[in-house]
Structure formats: C-alpha cells, structure tokens
C-alpha cells in the first residue's frame, strides 16, 4: 500500500468515526422526540399540522437534489472533468442556500404568528404543543447549522478543485465532504416525516 493510499484510508476512517458521533447526536434528539411523542401524541399531531408541508416537501426535494450533485461531483473529479466538478459543487452550494432561504421564510412565519419557544401563545396552550415546537426549533436549528457548515466545506473544496489541489488522483477530501453532506441529507429525511407528516 502506497503512502497516499494509507493517508486516504486514514482520512476516510476518521470521517466515518466523525459521522458516527454526529449520528449519535441526532439519534439522541430523535430519541427525545420519541419519548415525548409517546406522552403527548395528540399535541404533537396538532403541532405538526401547524407546519407548512409545502416548505418541508420543497426542502426535501432541494436536499435530495443537492446530494445528487455532490455524488456526481465525486464521479466527475475522478474522470478529470474539472469544470463539471466545479459546476456540480456550485449546484450543491446553491441548493444549500435555497434550503436555508426556505427555512428562514418558514421560521419567520412561525415567529410572526407567535409560535416560538416560551412564547405567550405556546405557554398558554397545552404543554405537549410547547414541547413539540421546542424540539422542532432545536432539531431544525441544529440541522441548519450543519447545512451551513456543509456549504462552507463544499465551497472550500471547490476552491481546492479550482487550484487543482484536488484532482483525479487526489480527491479523498471531496469524498469526505460529500459523505458529510449525505449525512446532512439523511438527517433531514428523518426530520421531514417526524415533524411534517405526523398525524
């Protein structure tokens, strides 16, 4: 095994270990959600019906598209298609901004209607509903931070590709960043049905 192959193996192993800790983080949040859902099923259903399904579904499509672009960028760089790689990375970052823009609109609408943690409206309502929205803001806020981090990393790898520090023979960094982005997408695949499709 060459020195480059050893470095690549170590980098990939390190990334998988990091992703495992991230899964534990979100797994804990989802476990907390499950506990409270069991306790307040009616209130959680009421809270879910107050979320905008169109926003949620649109963001799901946006993130799935971004993951497709990210995966295709890895294939492109391995074939030496620099311009295509840069275009696909730009598409991924663009999808991230679209996602965050939609999430901003959604959060703004909720704040405008007095639905936010410890708001007078939620305090006056049933406790389960308040817990639902507290978990909603915690989960989507945490996920949003990961989207921002992923967009920054994708932008950075695009710069590295432009400078040809990442190329057909040395692209493990792009592979790792893409793995991280797939995790961001996977987490949303759980968030969407748990919060937006709950009955």
């Amino acid at each position: 095994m060459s020195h480059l192959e050893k470095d690549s193996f170590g980098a990939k192993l390190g990334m998988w270990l990091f992703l495992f800790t991230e899964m534990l983080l979100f797994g804990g949040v989802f476990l907390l959600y499950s506990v409270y859902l069991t306790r307040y099923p009616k209130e959680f259903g009421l809270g879910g019906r107050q979320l905008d399904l169109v926003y949620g579904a649109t963001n799901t499509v946006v993130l799935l598209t971004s993951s497709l672009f990210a995966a295709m960028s890895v294939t492109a760089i391995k074939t030496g298609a620099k311009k295509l790689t840069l275009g696909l990375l730009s598409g991924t970052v663009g999808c991230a901004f679209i996602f965050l823009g939609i999430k901003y609109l959604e959060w703004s609408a909720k704040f405008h209607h007095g639905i936010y943690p410890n708001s007078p409206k939620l305090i006056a309502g049933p406790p389960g509903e308040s817990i639902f929205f507290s978990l909603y803001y915690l989960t989507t806020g945490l996920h949003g931070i990961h989207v921002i981090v992923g967009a920054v990393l994708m932008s950075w790898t695009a710069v590295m590709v432009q400078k040809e520090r990442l190329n057909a023979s040395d692209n493990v960094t792009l592979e790792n960043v893409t793995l991280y982005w797939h995790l961001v997408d996977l987490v949303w695949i759980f968030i969407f049905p748990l919060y937006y499709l709950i009955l």
Side-chain angles (χ1 to χ4, degrees), residues 109-126:
K110 289 292 171 286
F111 271 69
H112 178 71
H113 290 96
I115 301 176
Y116 53 87
N118 295 321
S119 69
K121 181 177 181 178
L122 290 181
I123 291 176

Side-chain angles (χ1 to χ4, degrees), residues 15-93:
M15 175 53 73
W16 278 110
L17 290 174
F18 171 72
L19 294 180
F20 178 71
T21 64
E22 291 289 284
M23 286 188 283
L24 288 178
L25 171 64
F26 281 102
V29 175
F30 292 143
L31 179 61
L32 188 63
Y33 174 96
S34 300
V35 170
Y36 281 112
L37 173 61
T38 303
R39 187 172 181 180
Y40 302 107
K42 182 178 179 180
E43 291 84 351
F44 270 47
L46 178 62
R49 287 191 289 274
Q50 294 181 65
L51 298 180
D52 194 311
L53 182 60
V54 174
Y55 279 151
T58 302
N59 263 345
T60 301
V61 173
V62 168
L63 276 190
L64 288 173
T65 302
S66 72
S67 270
L68 175 62
F69 287 160
M72 290 173 65
S73 72
V74 175
T75 302
I77 197 172
K78 288 182 176 180
T79 61
K82 178 181 175 180
K83 289 185 178 180
L84 178 58
T85 302
L86 290 172
L88 290 167
L89 289 174
S90 298
T92 304
V93 175

Side-chain angles (χ1 to χ4, degrees), residues 8 19-20 35 42 59 63 103 133 156 159 161 185 199:
S8 297
L19 294 180
F20 178 71
V35 170
K42 182 178 179 180
N59 263 345
L63 276 190
K103 185 54 61 180
F133 280 105
W156 172 70
V159 172
V161 171
D185 185 23
L199 300 177

Side-chain angles (χ1 to χ4, degrees), residues 89-199:
L89 289 174
S90 298
T92 304
V93 175
C95 286
F97 280 112
I98 292 173
F99 177 91
L100 291 171
I102 292 174
K103 185 54 61 180
Y104 170 78
L105 292 175
E106 185 178 12
W107 274 31
S108 296
K110 289 292 171 286
F111 271 69
H112 178 71
H113 290 96
I115 301 176
Y116 53 87
N118 295 321
S119 69
K121 181 177 181 178
L122 290 181
I123 291 176
E129 187 179 358
S130 178
I131 292 173
F132 172 84
F133 280 105
S134 293
L135 286 172
Y136 163 76
Y137 281 111
L138 170 64
T139 309
T140 57
L142 188 60
H143 178 262
I145 291 172
H146 282 71
V147 171
I148 293 171
V149 171
V152 170
L153 290 174
M154 282 291 179
S155 300
W156 172 70
T157 55
V159 172
M160 294 298 101
V161 171
Q162 179 63 42
K163 295 181 177 179
E164 298 189 354
R165 294 183 183 178
L166 296 177
N167 48 58
S169 59
D170 183 9
N171 49 67
V172 68
T173 300
L174 177 55
E175 288 187 22
N176 282 342
V177 171
T178 299
L179 281 174
Y180 176 84
W181 191 255
H182 288 328
L183 174 68
V184 172
D185 185 23
L186 179 63
V187 169
W188 180 258
I189 295 302
F190 282 94
I191 290 175
F192 177 60
L194 287 177
Y195 288 95
Y196 294 84
L197 300 181
I198 183 173
L199 300 177

